Amino acid sequence: RWSLDATFNRLRVRALAGVDVLQGQPTDADGPQVLATVSKMSGAPSVAMMKRVHAGKHLAGKFVHIFDFFSLPAGTFELWRLAAILVGEGQSGKSSVIKVPHKDEAMMWLNSKAVELEAQVSSTHRQFLGAGKKEEVLHQAALMHLQLGNLERYCELMCELGEWERAIAVAPAVSLEFWMRLAKAYAQEKVNQNSSRLVEALPWYVAINQVETLANLYINNEQYDEAVVLAQVAAVGGYDDLTSAAI
């Protein structure tokens, strides 16, 4: 069976030893003459590859193109891509291709992956995902935003997933106003789910000092005793020390 495995194994060793595989004649130990004729390949893809190779000033930059062109074992391209970045010749790759990002591109890479995941559950792709798969994808995207420090987007995705309390727990790190907005939305969500059990919404409305809204809800439910208690406490300043904001 015809194979270049032996040749490329020696090619990798020479590259790791810092030998420019495009220069000089190989010794007998280097295997077939293909090592000496890499630069003489004349096909259009080969010519394009060689232009990129010769444009590189450092061996690491050259090896990126050579090892990528010959599709050598998984991880080889990544190795030389990272080496090229270290010597100032690296180029950012697609997030779908990169497996090990350099520290200088880690945030860009992770954000790109999160955006890709969110795109999978967009209106144009949603029909191809089941409910369980959609939740799994959004959880992955939310985790990536959390790792990036994009706390506001993390909270928004957790609310979309119905995990309001996780979002509300993190929201103060964004801002007090953002926390209050989520708390009010969660309280309204509880009312929408079961308007007859306002006890579920009670702590959230009180925490954001929206007792008037809560009292009106009690009145609408004909729960007058609870509404009166709220009004009496408010009348004597019982809620004055609670944080309030225009939300």
Side-chain angles (χ1 to χ4, degrees):
R1 183 175 63 89
W2 183 80
S3 174
L4 290 176
D5 288 348
T7 296
F8 289 137
N9 283 335
R10 293 184 176 90
L11 180 63
R12 287 196 295 275
V13 172
R14 286 166 61 84
L16 288 171
V19 178
D20 189 342
V21 297
L22 299 179
Q23 301 297 325
Q25 296 293 324
T27 65
D28 292 340
D30 289 321
Q33 291 291 317
V34 76
L35 290 181
T37 59
V38 169
S39 60
K40 298 179 181 179
M41 296 185 298
S42 59
S46 303
V47 172
M49 182 270 288
M50 291 310 303
K51 286 182 178 179
R52 294 192 294 270
V53 168
H54 289 306
K57 298 179 180 179
H58 194 280
L59 282 178
K62 296 179 180 181
F63 291 155
V64 169
H65 303 297
I66 294 173
F67 283 81
D68 184 39
F69 181 82
F70 287 107
S71 301
L72 295 178
T76 307
F77 167 73
E78 294 268 343
L79 169 66
W80 291 112
R81 194 185 70 83
L82 292 173
I85 291 175
L86 290 176
V87 298
E89 290 195 16
Q91 294 182 351
S92 298
K94 295 181 180 179
S95 61
S96 58
V97 176
I98 298 174
K99 302 300 181 185
V100 183
H102 186 267
K103 64 181 180 64
D104 292 340
E105 61 185 3
M107 291 187 66
M108 174 278 297
W109 176 81
L110 198 58
N111 185 70
S112 180
K113 293 290 290 184
V115 171
E116 288 175 10
L117 287 172
E118 289 187 62
Q120 291 182 28
V121 295
S122 66
S123 57
T124 55
H125 296 83
R126 189 175 301 169
Q127 56 182 322
F128 302 108
L129 292 174
K133 182 64 175 177
K134 175 188 174 183
E135 291 186 2
E136 178 184 342
V137 170
L138 284 181
H139 269 115
Q140 292 176 358
L143 178 59
M144 288 182 178
H145 281 297
L146 184 61
Q147 293 172 327
L148 281 165
N150 296 339
L151 300 185
E152 184 169 351
R153 187 57 185 150
Y154 166 79
C155 292
E156 291 170 349
L157 289 176
M158 296 307 287
C159 291
E160 186 174 343
L161 287 163
E163 300 186 27
W164 285 87
E165 294 188 13
R166 285 178 179 268
I168 292 172
V170 174
V174 178
S175 69
L176 177 60
E177 290 73 20
F178 182 66
W179 171 80
M180 296 184 74
R181 189 163 74 247
L182 288 192
K184 182 177 182 180
Y186 184 43
Q188 186 58 53
E189 180 76 8
K190 287 295 185 181
V191 172
N192 294 339
Q193 290 175 356
N194 190 344
S195 61
S196 64
R197 282 187 53 80
L198 293 178
V199 66
E200 298 289 342
L202 173 63
W204 304 104
Y205 277 122
V206 172
I208 61 175
N209 200 1
Q210 294 283 304
V211 292
E212 183 177 352
T213 298
L214 183 59
N216 289 330
L217 289 171
Y218 275 129
I219 292 172
N220 292 337
N221 279 352
E222 298 182 353
Q223 295 175 268
Y224 301 115
D225 290 344
E226 289 82 354
V228 168
V229 169
L230 289 174
Q232 290 174 331
V233 173
V236 296
Y239 304 118
D240 289 352
D241 292 334
L242 297 179
T243 301
S244 61
I247 56 175

